[in-house]
Amino acid sequence: GQQLNQSPQSMFIQEGEDVSMNCTSSSIFNTWLWYKQEPGEGPVLLIALYKAGELTSNGRLTAQFGITRKDSFLNISASIPSDVGIYFCAGISNFGNEKLTFGTGTRLTIIP
Amino acid sequence: SQTIHQWPATLVQPVGSPLSLECTVEGTSNPNLYWYRQAAGRGLQLLFYSVGIGQISSEVPQNLSASRPQDRQFILSSKKLLLSDSGFYLCAWGQGNGYTFGSGTRLTVV
């Protein structure tokens, strides 16, 4: 079945630094999504990408849908303590079939 | 606006006991509904999805079952829990631009 490889698995950065994480797939996705999950909570949608090459921002977050439709990245600029959490990429491969395939997650820790 | 409710928030159950987790959605009709499980520190695994009342698709063979008795109600069940059923269970409903997740149920089987 489809798999999303997300890297890095974990990041320890200092407050104020920029963060970059990415997802790659062996197959094509038509929609890429980035979620953030805080401890004990369900994931919350951060950014949705619908077109190859699309670059979308949400505040300090920027995500891009790769041209090949097999990858996506998420950048966080000037990290702050509340950015701590697990970030998941997710992809939808078929229009009309909304099943999401999730990446394995990137755990972000901010060092004060 | 659409909201999704999931309960209970936490549950501790003995091995061999039954399970029933409930998820309801408000503010939408005929949603696609999903049950995911998340093991500690791991990603999300799709267990079941439903595109309508009585329509259940299972993604992985397991000790669990799902039912959709009403349009906006999705139930995850087990007749006899195993230790390996422990985890964080998330219900979600599908939209054109992704999923909205419930707040999750942390199940510990002891």
Short mmCIF file of all heavy atoms in Angstrom, two decimals, chain B residues 64-92:
data_model
loop_
_atom_site.label_atom_id
_atom_site.label_comp_id
_atom_site.label_asym_id
_atom_site.label_seq_id
_atom_site.Cartn_x
_atom_site.Cartn_y
_atom_site.Cartn_z
N LEU B 64 -11.18 -5.56 16.36
CA LEU B 64 -12.16 -4.51 16.52
C LEU B 64 -13.18 -4.55 15.40
O LEU B 64 -12.92 -5.11 14.34
CB LEU B 64 -11.45 -3.14 16.52
CG LEU B 64 -10.38 -2.94 17.58
CD1 LEU B 64 -9.58 -1.68 17.28
CD2 LEU B 64 -11.00 -2.87 18.96
N SER B 65 -14.32 -3.91 15.63
CA SER B 65 -15.33 -3.76 14.59
C SER B 65 -15.90 -2.36 14.69
O SER B 65 -15.71 -1.66 15.70
CB SER B 65 -16.44 -4.80 14.75
OG SER B 65 -17.08 -4.63 16.00
N ALA B 66 -16.58 -1.93 13.64
CA ALA B 66 -17.19 -0.61 13.63
C ALA B 66 -18.60 -0.71 13.12
O ALA B 66 -18.95 -1.63 12.36
CB ALA B 66 -16.38 0.35 12.77
N SER B 67 -19.43 0.23 13.54
CA SER B 67 -20.81 0.28 13.06
C SER B 67 -21.22 1.72 12.89
O SER B 67 -20.68 2.63 13.54
CB SER B 67 -21.74 -0.44 14.03
OG SER B 67 -21.73 0.20 15.30
N ARG B 68 -22.18 1.92 11.98
CA ARG B 68 -22.70 3.27 11.74
C ARG B 68 -24.22 3.16 11.73
O ARG B 68 -24.84 3.02 10.68
CB ARG B 68 -22.20 3.83 10.42
CG ARG B 68 -22.61 5.29 10.22
CD ARG B 68 -21.76 5.92 9.17
NE ARG B 68 -22.21 7.27 8.87
CZ ARG B 68 -21.64 8.04 7.95
NH1 ARG B 68 -20.62 7.58 7.24
NH2 ARG B 68 -22.10 9.25 7.74
N PRO B 69 -24.80 3.21 12.93
CA PRO B 69 -26.25 3.04 13.02
C PRO B 69 -27.06 4.26 12.57
O PRO B 69 -28.22 4.13 12.17
CB PRO B 69 -26.47 2.76 14.52
CG PRO B 69 -25.29 3.40 15.19
CD PRO B 69 -24.15 3.29 14.23
N GLN B 70 -26.43 5.43 12.63
CA GLN B 70 -27.09 6.66 12.19
C GLN B 70 -26.12 7.45 11.33
O GLN B 70 -24.90 7.24 11.38
CB GLN B 70 -27.53 7.50 13.39
CG GLN B 70 -28.52 6.80 14.30
CD GLN B 70 -28.93 7.69 15.47
OE1 GLN B 70 -29.21 8.87 15.29
NE2 GLN B 70 -28.95 7.12 16.66
N ASP B 71 -26.66 8.41 10.60
CA ASP B 71 -25.85 9.16 9.64
C ASP B 71 -24.63 9.81 10.29
O ASP B 71 -23.54 9.85 9.72
CB ASP B 71 -26.71 10.22 8.97
CG ASP B 71 -25.93 11.04 7.95
OD1 ASP B 71 -25.19 10.42 7.14
OD2 ASP B 71 -26.06 12.27 7.92
N ARG B 72 -24.83 10.34 11.49
CA ARG B 72 -23.75 11.11 12.11
C ARG B 72 -23.19 10.42 13.36
O ARG B 72 -22.66 11.06 14.25
CB ARG B 72 -24.27 12.51 12.46
CG ARG B 72 -24.41 13.38 11.22
CD ARG B 72 -25.08 14.70 11.52
NE ARG B 72 -26.52 14.55 11.63
CZ ARG B 72 -27.36 15.54 11.85
NH1 ARG B 72 -26.90 16.76 12.02
NH2 ARG B 72 -28.66 15.34 11.92
N GLN B 73 -23.30 9.09 13.41
CA GLN B 73 -22.81 8.34 14.55
C GLN B 73 -21.94 7.19 14.06
O GLN B 73 -22.32 6.42 13.18
CB GLN B 73 -24.00 7.78 15.36
CG GLN B 73 -23.61 7.06 16.63
CD GLN B 73 -24.82 6.45 17.33
OE1 GLN B 73 -25.79 6.08 16.67
NE2 GLN B 73 -24.77 6.36 18.63
N PHE B 74 -20.77 7.06 14.67
CA PHE B 74 -19.81 6.03 14.27
C PHE B 74 -19.30 5.39 15.56
O PHE B 74 -18.85 6.09 16.46
CB PHE B 74 -18.67 6.67 13.47
CG PHE B 74 -17.93 5.74 12.57
CD1 PHE B 74 -18.47 4.55 12.11
CD2 PHE B 74 -16.63 6.07 12.14
CE1 PHE B 74 -17.78 3.72 11.24
CE2 PHE B 74 -15.94 5.24 11.28
CZ PHE B 74 -16.50 4.07 10.83
N ILE B 75 -19.40 4.07 15.65
CA ILE B 75 -19.07 3.38 16.89
C ILE B 75 -17.96 2.36 16.64
O ILE B 75 -18.01 1.62 15.64
CB ILE B 75 -20.32 2.66 17.47
CG1 ILE B 75 -21.39 3.70 17.81
CG2 ILE B 75 -19.94 1.85 18.70
CD1 ILE B 75 -22.71 3.11 18.22
N LEU B 76 -17.00 2.33 17.52
CA LEU B 76 -15.91 1.36 17.48
C LEU B 76 -16.11 0.38 18.62
O LEU B 76 -16.33 0.79 19.76
CB LEU B 76 -14.57 2.06 17.62
CG LEU B 76 -13.32 1.19 17.50
CD1 LEU B 76 -13.15 0.69 16.07
CD2 LEU B 76 -12.08 1.96 17.93
N SER B 77 -16.06 -0.91 18.32
CA SER B 77 -16.39 -1.92 19.33
C SER B 77 -15.40 -3.07 19.33
O SER B 77 -14.68 -3.29 18.35
CB SER B 77 -17.79 -2.50 19.06
OG SER B 77 -18.77 -1.50 19.00
N SER B 78 -15.44 -3.78 20.45
CA SER B 78 -14.74 -5.05 20.54
C SER B 78 -15.52 -5.94 21.50
O SER B 78 -16.07 -5.46 22.49
CB SER B 78 -13.31 -4.88 21.04
OG SER B 78 -12.71 -6.14 21.26
N LYS B 79 -15.56 -7.23 21.20
CA LYS B 79 -16.23 -8.16 22.12
C LYS B 79 -15.30 -8.54 23.26
O LYS B 79 -15.74 -8.72 24.40
CB LYS B 79 -16.67 -9.40 21.37
CG LYS B 79 -17.77 -9.15 20.37
CD LYS B 79 -18.21 -10.44 19.69
CE LYS B 79 -19.32 -10.16 18.70
NZ LYS B 79 -19.71 -11.38 17.94
N LYS B 80 -13.99 -8.66 22.95
CA LYS B 80 -13.02 -9.05 23.97
C LYS B 80 -11.71 -8.32 23.70
O LYS B 80 -11.01 -8.64 22.75
CB LYS B 80 -12.77 -10.55 23.95
CG LYS B 80 -13.89 -11.41 24.47
CD LYS B 80 -13.45 -12.88 24.54
CE LYS B 80 -14.58 -13.74 25.08
NZ LYS B 80 -14.18 -15.16 25.18
N LEU B 81 -11.38 -7.40 24.56
CA LEU B 81 -10.17 -6.61 24.36
C LEU B 81 -8.90 -7.43 24.59
O LEU B 81 -8.85 -8.31 25.46
CB LEU B 81 -10.16 -5.40 25.28
CG LEU B 81 -11.08 -4.26 24.88
CD1 LEU B 81 -11.21 -3.26 26.02
CD2 LEU B 81 -10.57 -3.57 23.62
N LEU B 82 -7.88 -7.09 23.80
CA LEU B 82 -6.54 -7.65 23.97
C LEU B 82 -5.61 -6.55 24.48
O LEU B 82 -5.89 -5.36 24.31
CB LEU B 82 -6.00 -8.17 22.63
CG LEU B 82 -6.87 -9.16 21.87
CD1 LEU B 82 -6.29 -9.41 20.49
CD2 LEU B 82 -7.01 -10.46 22.66
N LEU B 83 -4.49 -6.95 25.08
CA LEU B 83 -3.51 -5.96 25.52
C LEU B 83 -3.07 -5.06 24.37
O LEU B 83 -2.86 -3.86 24.53
CB LEU B 83 -2.29 -6.64 26.14
CG LEU B 83 -2.47 -7.25 27.53
CD1 LEU B 83 -1.21 -8.00 27.94
CD2 LEU B 83 -2.79 -6.16 28.56
N SER B 84 -2.94 -5.67 23.20
CA SER B 84 -2.46 -4.93 22.03
C SER B 84 -3.47 -3.92 21.50
O SER B 84 -3.14 -3.14 20.59
CB SER B 84 -2.09 -5.91 20.91
OG SER B 84 -3.22 -6.71 20.57
N ASP B 85 -4.67 -3.90 22.05
CA ASP B 85 -5.67 -2.91 21.63
C ASP B 85 -5.44 -1.55 22.31
O ASP B 85 -6.10 -0.57 21.97
CB ASP B 85 -7.08 -3.39 21.95
CG ASP B 85 -7.50 -4.58 21.08
OD1 ASP B 85 -7.09 -4.61 19.90
OD2 ASP B 85 -8.20 -5.47 21.59
N SER B 86 -4.53 -1.50 23.26
CA SER B 86 -4.22 -0.22 23.91
C SER B 86 -3.73 0.79 22.88
O SER B 86 -3.01 0.45 21.94
CB SER B 86 -3.14 -0.40 24.97
OG SER B 86 -3.61 -1.18 26.03
N GLY B 87 -4.13 2.04 23.07
CA GLY B 87 -3.69 3.08 22.15
C GLY B 87 -4.59 4.29 22.24
O GLY B 87 -5.48 4.37 23.09
N PHE B 88 -4.33 5.23 21.35
CA PHE B 88 -5.11 6.47 21.29
C PHE B 88 -5.98 6.37 20.05
O PHE B 88 -5.47 6.25 18.93
CB PHE B 88 -4.14 7.65 21.19
CG PHE B 88 -4.76 8.99 21.38
CD1 PHE B 88 -5.61 9.25 22.43
CD2 PHE B 88 -4.46 10.03 20.51
CE1 PHE B 88 -6.18 10.51 22.61
CE2 PHE B 88 -5.02 11.29 20.68
CZ PHE B 88 -5.87 11.52 21.73
N TYR B 89 -7.30 6.39 20.25
CA TYR B 89 -8.24 6.18 19.15
C TYR B 89 -8.85 7.53 18.75
O TYR B 89 -9.36 8.27 19.59
CB TYR B 89 -9.34 5.20 19.56
CG TYR B 89 -8.81 3.78 19.66
CD1 TYR B 89 -8.18 3.34 20.82
CD2 TYR B 89 -8.91 2.91 18.58
CE1 TYR B 89 -7.68 2.07 20.90
CE2 TYR B 89 -8.42 1.62 18.66
CZ TYR B 89 -7.79 1.21 19.83
OH TYR B 89 -7.29 -0.06 19.90
N LEU B 90 -8.80 7.78 17.47
CA LEU B 90 -9.27 9.06 16.96
C LEU B 90 -10.37 8.83 15.92
O LEU B 90 -10.21 8.02 15.02
CB LEU B 90 -8.12 9.83 16.31
CG LEU B 90 -7.10 10.41 17.27
CD1 LEU B 90 -5.76 10.61 16.57
CD2 LEU B 90 -7.59 11.73 17.84
N CYS B 91 -11.44 9.59 16.08
CA CYS B 91 -12.50 9.60 15.09
C CYS B 91 -12.31 10.85 14.23
O CYS B 91 -11.83 11.88 14.72
CB CYS B 91 -13.86 9.65 15.81
SG CYS B 91 -15.27 9.73 14.73
N ALA B 92 -12.67 10.77 12.97
CA ALA B 92 -12.54 11.93 12.10
C ALA B 92 -13.65 11.91 11.07
O ALA B 92 -14.17 10.84 10.73
CB ALA B 92 -11.18 11.93 11.39
#
